[in-house]
Amino acid sequence: MSNPVIETLRADQALVVVRASRLDDPVALCHALAAGGIRTVELTYTTPGLTDLISQVSARAEDIVIGAGTVVNADQARAALAAGARFLVTPGLPPEAAEIVAEGHAAGAAVVLGALTPTEVLTATALGADAVKIFPARSVGPRYFSDLRGPFPEVALIPSGGVDEDNAAEFLRAGAVAVTAGTSVVQPADVDEARWEQITTNAARFRAALR
């Protein structure tokens, strides 16, 4: 049975990864994204204080599916899950990938392992990934997803890196179950200046481009 997080992604077809040097109000940011139609949000370990940020969102924004990204070891996985993360995302296949999957599944969370090549996709699925993030998607393009559908018709593939409103729909048509928005929706300057209405507008525009 598919994890509920993956079902939400299949329904919404979009999530957003937030990369910022600081994040003073993660709850306001997440509400701004949800107002624009994106309710699955990945905060990453490249932002200081990640576990506290996840805890704030988990406690005060029940409409948000919050997750942790750039997870590279089991300790990070456990800390993010304890803070309330509902999914984990790795940038590739780290040495502790099996442990990350085990920790995530023990907590009822979804695990999205990063990959690029067919061999890596096969490894990620063998390790029990609920979905596979193809990164960097910009380097391979939508046609690559069509090629991957041949040997991996049942794998939930999610492109990340260089996906924007101009190409997002192409990735979905090529077989991706959802697409990952980044700075095209959440600009670091907008976060720094608390321009929540702009972020809502960006999210709504991105969602509209998927149709």
Side-chain angles (χ1 to χ4, degrees):
M1 180 179 295
S2 180
N3 185 283
V5 172
I6 304 303
E7 292 309 307
T8 297
L9 285 175
R10 288 183 183 275
D12 291 0
Q13 296 186 303
L15 71 153
V16 66
V17 57
V18 178
R19 294 195 182 278
S21 58
R22 76 175 202 274
L23 185 49
D24 297 330
D25 196 341
V27 176
L29 170 62
C30 288
H31 282 154
L33 289 166
I38 300 179
R39 53 182 171 158
T40 303
V41 181
E42 174 191 339
L43 303 181
T44 74
Y45 267 107
T46 57
T47 300
L50 175 70
T51 54
D52 179 60
L53 300 174
I54 290 175
S55 293
Q56 291 183 52
V57 176
S58 180
R60 298 167 51 201
E62 295 182 358
D63 56 329
I64 299 298
V65 180
I66 189 69
T70 322
V71 177
V72 297
N73 58 57
D75 285 342
Q76 289 181 334
R78 283 188 288 270
L81 293 166
R86 295 176 58 189
F87 65 96
L88 305 173
V89 184
T90 69
L93 291 173
E96 296 181 29
E99 290 88 344
I100 291 170
V101 172
E103 293 289 346
H105 287 174
V111 181
V112 182
L113 295 182
L116 181 61
T117 69
T119 298
E120 290 171 345
V121 173
L122 185 62
T123 299
T125 56
L127 288 170
D130 298 288
V132 179
K133 178 182 77 173
I134 302 299
F135 176 83
R138 171 171 40 205
S139 298
V140 293
R143 185 172 179 178
Y144 186 65
F145 282 72
S146 296
D147 293 338
L148 287 177
R149 298 312 301 171
F152 305 112
E154 303 301 322
V155 177
L157 299 173
I158 302 172
S160 181
V163 181
D164 56 32
E165 60 190 74
D166 293 328
N167 61 19
E170 292 182 65
F171 281 106
L172 293 173
R173 287 193 293 268
V177 300
V179 290
T180 304
T183 55
S184 62
V185 171
V186 182
Q187 288 279 351
D190 288 337
V191 174
D192 291 343
E193 299 298 325
R195 293 195 285 257
W196 308 130
E197 290 185 4
Q198 182 61 55
I199 289 173
T200 295
T201 298
N202 294 345
R205 186 166 54 234
F206 186 84
R207 283 296 309 277
L210 304 182
R211 303 186 186 120

